[in-house]
Amino acid sequence: MIDHTGVIVSDFDKAKAFYTAALAPIGYTLIMELPAAVTGHTDVAGFGENGKPDFWVSRGTPNQPPMHVAFRVEQRAPVDAFHRAALAAGARDNGGPGIRAHYHPDYYGAFVLDPDGHNIEVVCHQPAA
């Protein structure tokens, strides 16, 4: 079981603003920030839900190749809302909301590229309500 993951970004403040807006529709918020003085390495920001950060954004040289991170939701509407919010926050479209039947018949996802080119996805595996 994965406990947490993250991406390294070139513009820490821009990334925090982007992820705050893009992940809000799925219930994720900025929960914690730790400066380099605390981590011993770099500034980090933790996003998550219910008080537990599980997606971390770190200041530095962005991952190469860029990362792919997928967030799972239980209904399709948050997939659509994420896509709209992410594009409004400056993401580039990398696949609008829709069925990806090549994965399975109920795979409903949306993909965007964040400001550093990381492929961020929100996916629902449930049938349409």
Side-chain angles (χ1 to χ4, degrees):
M1 180 178 297
I2 296 172
D3 183 70
H4 59 275
T5 191
V7 295
I8 302 173
V9 300
S10 61
D11 186 328
F12 187 64
D13 292 327
K14 182 177 182 179
K16 284 191 305 181
F18 170 77
Y19 283 107
T20 296
L23 297 179
I26 67 167
Y28 266 55
T29 61
L30 177 60
I31 294 173
M32 181 182 295
E33 289 188 65
L34 300 171
V38 172
T39 68
H41 177 64
T42 192
D43 300 326
V44 298
F47 294 82
E49 56 186 349
N50 302 318
K52 200 272 185 205
D54 57 21
F55 177 69
W56 292 88
V57 173
S58 303
R59 181 188 310 267
T61 303
N63 310 85
Q64 286 301 319
M67 302 288 291
H68 175 189
V69 178
F71 296 88
R72 182 176 51 230
V73 295
E74 296 301 316
Q75 297 177 339
R76 294 181 180 189
V79 174
D80 300 343
F82 154 77
H83 191 257
R84 285 190 305 272
L87 293 179
R92 289 178 287 146
D93 182 31
N94 198 32
I99 292 289
R100 281 16 185 226
H102 53 282
Y103 295 128
H104 66 74
D106 293 316
Y107 194 106
Y108 187 86
F111 303 80
V112 300
L113 299 177
D114 81 354
D116 286 299
H118 299 297
N119 185 22
I120 308 301
E121 174 186 4
V122 172
V123 61
C124 175
H125 296 284
Q126 304 300 321

